[in-house]
């Protein structure tokens, strides 16, 4: 046993440790929200690829505790090692498993590289052994690198065609500065597509379908982001955007396959911009989110990942629900973010924001707190002066 007092160790957009009690408190909050807005039954089994943090964790919690599903999460998380804490995702899933057992429900975890054939085979074997067929396959994988045998690809956050210059906030010194990002090469565009496009989502769905592990009417959903015009050059019109276009094309093809074989369907769900481990690493986005939070909180329309996914299930994916989509067939949970009045206010603040007025006209404090909460720090109700056991296991 190795109890210790844990203080956050943060470098820029990376937190090097996690707090197990804080992570557990976060999961408890998500469970309470899921239970409050759902019937507690209606789904049989759900697989979440990338189910340990952010939107993936919220999807697992909503399905299991809101709709009674048997949940399986695939993730790549670091276990505790000696005096070093586990990753936040590890502690999140340990807490979710514990709460599931207490409620007579089931959460299984496959820990490894979701891109790999080995982990796909391991997941298929575990699902076969359990005897379940999946009602939902949720794809929420956000990884910087993909390895396949001797080949590897790394995603990049770059514009296309010309350099991109914009305001951004340095998470290390909290200064608002101008950044310039060089355009991507063709090889970088393709590498980003390999990591963040639709190829792996399709590989998962096809492997599960071929193994006869998808239930009649199975729904497959991959998460994406569009964002506002402010971030288009670095996001939707950049390398990530090209990858997301590939994801959308692939999802349309998967939907046709699922419809023909199982009477099912596949969708891309475009979610709201929020503080996640992935979004914190994207230039420009932390500053935009800080301004967005200020405006949406004032308007009473702000949602976190748990609220977003509870709404996704309640309005679109829950039993008896038919997803409402845009002209491209996408579910749009970013509807409140992209409301014209909200974006007009954000754009006006963007023109004004500087280092000197950052704390006054943006909710940078909220961004910073939400970032720390991802790793179990600054969570209300947790006594950080008390030592906690870091050697927490996952079944």
């Amino acid at each position: 046993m190795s109890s210790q007092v844990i203080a956050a160790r943060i470098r820029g957009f990376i937190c090097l440790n996690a707090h197990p009690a804080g992570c557990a408190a976060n999961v408890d909050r998500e469970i309470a929200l899921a239970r409050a807005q759902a019937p507690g039954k209606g789904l049989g089994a759900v697989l979440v690829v990338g189910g340990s943090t952010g939107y993936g964790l919220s999807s697992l919690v909503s399905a299991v505790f809101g709709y009674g599903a048997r949940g399986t999460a695939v993730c790549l998380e670091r276990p505790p090692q000696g005096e070093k804490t586990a990753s936040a995702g590890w502690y999140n899933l340990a807490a979710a498993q514990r709460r599931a057992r207490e409620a007579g429900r089931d959460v299984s975890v496959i820990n490894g590289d979701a891109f790999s054939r080995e982990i796909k085979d391991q997941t298929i074997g575990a699902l076969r052994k359990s005897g379940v067929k999946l009602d939902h396959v949720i794809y929420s994988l956000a990884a910087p690198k993909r390895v396949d045998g001797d080949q590897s690809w790394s995603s990049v956050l770059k514009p296309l065609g010309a350099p991109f210059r914009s305001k951004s906030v340095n998470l290390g010194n909290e200064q608002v500065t101008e950044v310039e990002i060089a355009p991507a090469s063709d090889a970088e565009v393709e590498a980003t597509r390999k990591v963040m496009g639709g190829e792996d989502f399709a590989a998962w769905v096809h492997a599960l379908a071929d193994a006869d592990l998808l239930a009649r009417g199975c729904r497959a959903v991959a998460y994406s982001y569009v964002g506002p015009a402010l971030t288009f050059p670095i996001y939707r019109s950049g390398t990530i955007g090209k990858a997301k276009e590939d994801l959308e094309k692939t999802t349309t093809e998967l939907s046709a396959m699922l419809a023909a074989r199982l009477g099912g369907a596949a969708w891309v769900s475009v979610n709201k911009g929020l503080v996640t481990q992935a979004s914190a690493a994207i230039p420009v986005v932390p500053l935009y989110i800080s301004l967005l939070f200020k405006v949406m909180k004032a308007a009473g329309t702000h949602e976190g990942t748990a609220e977003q996914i509870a709404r996704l299930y309640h309005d679109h994916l829950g039993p008896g629900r038919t997803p409402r989509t845009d002209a491209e067939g996408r579910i749009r949970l970013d509807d409140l973010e992209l409301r014209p009045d909200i974006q007009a206010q954000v754009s006006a603040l963007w023109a004004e924001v500087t280092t000197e007025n950052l704390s006054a006209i943006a909710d940078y404090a909220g961004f910073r707190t939400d970032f720390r909460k991802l790793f179990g720090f600054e969570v209300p109700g947790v006594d950080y002066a008390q030592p906690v056991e870091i050697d927490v296991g996952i079944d």
Side-chain angles (χ1 to χ4, degrees):
M1 304 295 281
S2 50
S3 295
Q4 57 181 267
V5 175
I6 304 171
R9 296 171 56 216
I10 295 174
R11 294 178 186 168
F13 58 83
I14 299 173
C15 186
L16 302 176
N17 60 351
H19 197 285
C23 290
N26 284 335
V27 170
D28 284 343
R29 177 191 169 275
E30 293 210 21
I31 290 171
L33 193 148
R35 284 173 166 161
Q37 300 188 28
K41 58 184 180 180
L43 291 176
V46 172
L47 171 68
V48 184
V49 181
S52 55
T53 61
Y55 280 117
L57 176 67
S58 296
S59 301
L60 182 74
V61 168
S62 287
V64 172
F65 296 94
Y67 293 87
R70 183 170 184 168
T72 300
V74 178
C75 60
L76 181 58
E77 296 295 346
R78 182 186 71 246
Q81 298 174 326
E83 298 300 308
K84 294 182 179 180
T85 73
S87 59
W90 180 276
Y91 288 137
N92 289 339
L93 289 177
Q97 276 194 332
R98 187 167 60 249
R99 294 297 185 232
R101 283 195 298 268
E102 292 168 359
R105 296 180 177 176
D106 184 71
V107 169
S108 299
V109 178
I110 307 292
N111 192 38
D113 181 3
F115 287 123
S116 71
R117 184 68 223 191
E118 176 188 359
I119 290 301
K120 290 179 177 68
D121 289 344
Q122 186 178 333
T123 304
I124 286 169
L127 291 170
R128 278 178 171 156
K129 187 176 180 180
S130 70
V132 303
K133 290 194 177 185
L134 299 168
D135 292 326
H136 289 176
V137 177
I138 305 295
Y139 191 84
S140 183
L141 197 61
K145 186 175 182 179
R146 177 181 176 186
V147 177
D148 185 2
D150 294 333
Q151 291 185 293
S152 66
W153 302 271
S154 296
S155 62
V156 297
L157 296 156
K158 290 187 175 182
L160 303 178
F164 171 60
R165 299 176 184 85
S166 179
K167 290 180 180 179
S168 189
V169 61
N170 184 313
L171 299 185
N173 59 23
E174 301 184 358
Q175 300 291 300
V176 176
T177 60
E178 184 174 272
V179 295
E180 178 173 323
I181 303 170
S185 66
D186 290 344
E188 288 174 322
V189 173
E190 173 60 11
T192 304
R193 185 194 69 80
K194 294 289 287 189
V195 178
M196 304 190 72
E199 197 168 274
D200 190 59
F201 180 39
W204 272 101
V205 175
H206 280 291
L208 293 162
D210 292 345
D212 194 25
L213 289 171
L214 302 182
R216 186 75 189 165
C218 177
R219 295 175 164 188
V221 179
Y223 293 148
S224 186
Y225 183 62
V226 169
L230 280 171
T231 64
F232 266 27
I234 191 62
Y235 201 89
R236 192 65 193 187
S237 298
T239 52
I240 300 297
K242 284 295 183 184
K244 296 306 183 183
E245 289 172 9
D246 181 76
L247 174 64
E248 291 167 12
K249 177 178 178 291
T250 302
T251 301
T252 299
E253 295 166 354
L254 286 176
S255 194
M257 182 274 288
L258 290 172
R261 293 176 64 170
L262 296 161
W267 294 274
V268 166
S269 176
V270 180
N271 299 343
K272 173 193 174 190
L274 286 171
V275 183
T276 65
Q277 293 182 40
S279 70
I282 303 174
V284 182
V285 169
L287 181 57
Y288 164 72
I289 287 178
S290 298
L291 296 169
L292 179 70
F293 280 17
K294 183 80 169 183
V295 174
M296 293 192 75
K297 286 178 181 179
T301 57
H302 175 68
E303 296 171 315
T305 59
E307 290 85 358
Q308 281 266 288
I309 299 305
R311 181 156 69 95
L312 174 66
Y313 270 89
H314 183 273
D315 293 351
H316 301 278
L317 293 184
R321 301 292 186 184
T322 299
R324 299 187 303 276
T325 61
D326 64 9
E328 284 75 43
R330 303 171 298 188
I331 299 168
R332 300 301 294 264
L333 292 184
D334 60 347
D335 51 347
L336 300 178
E337 173 186 357
L338 296 185
R339 255 176 37 187
D341 61 320
I342 296 294
Q343 286 301 311
Q345 292 177 68
V346 172
S347 294
L349 293 173
W350 183 271
E352 299 176 18
V353 67
T354 64
T355 299
E356 290 71 29
N357 65 18
L358 177 64
S359 61
I361 72 170
D363 187 22
Y364 185 71
F367 176 92
R368 188 177 54 221
T369 297
D370 281 1
F371 178 76
R372 285 161 171 74
K373 282 182 179 178
L374 294 176
F375 304 92
F377 298 104
E378 296 188 24
V379 179
V382 177
D383 185 352
Y384 291 96
Q386 295 299 313
V388 291
E389 175 58 47
I390 67 168
D391 190 13
V392 178
I394 288 177
D395 296 336

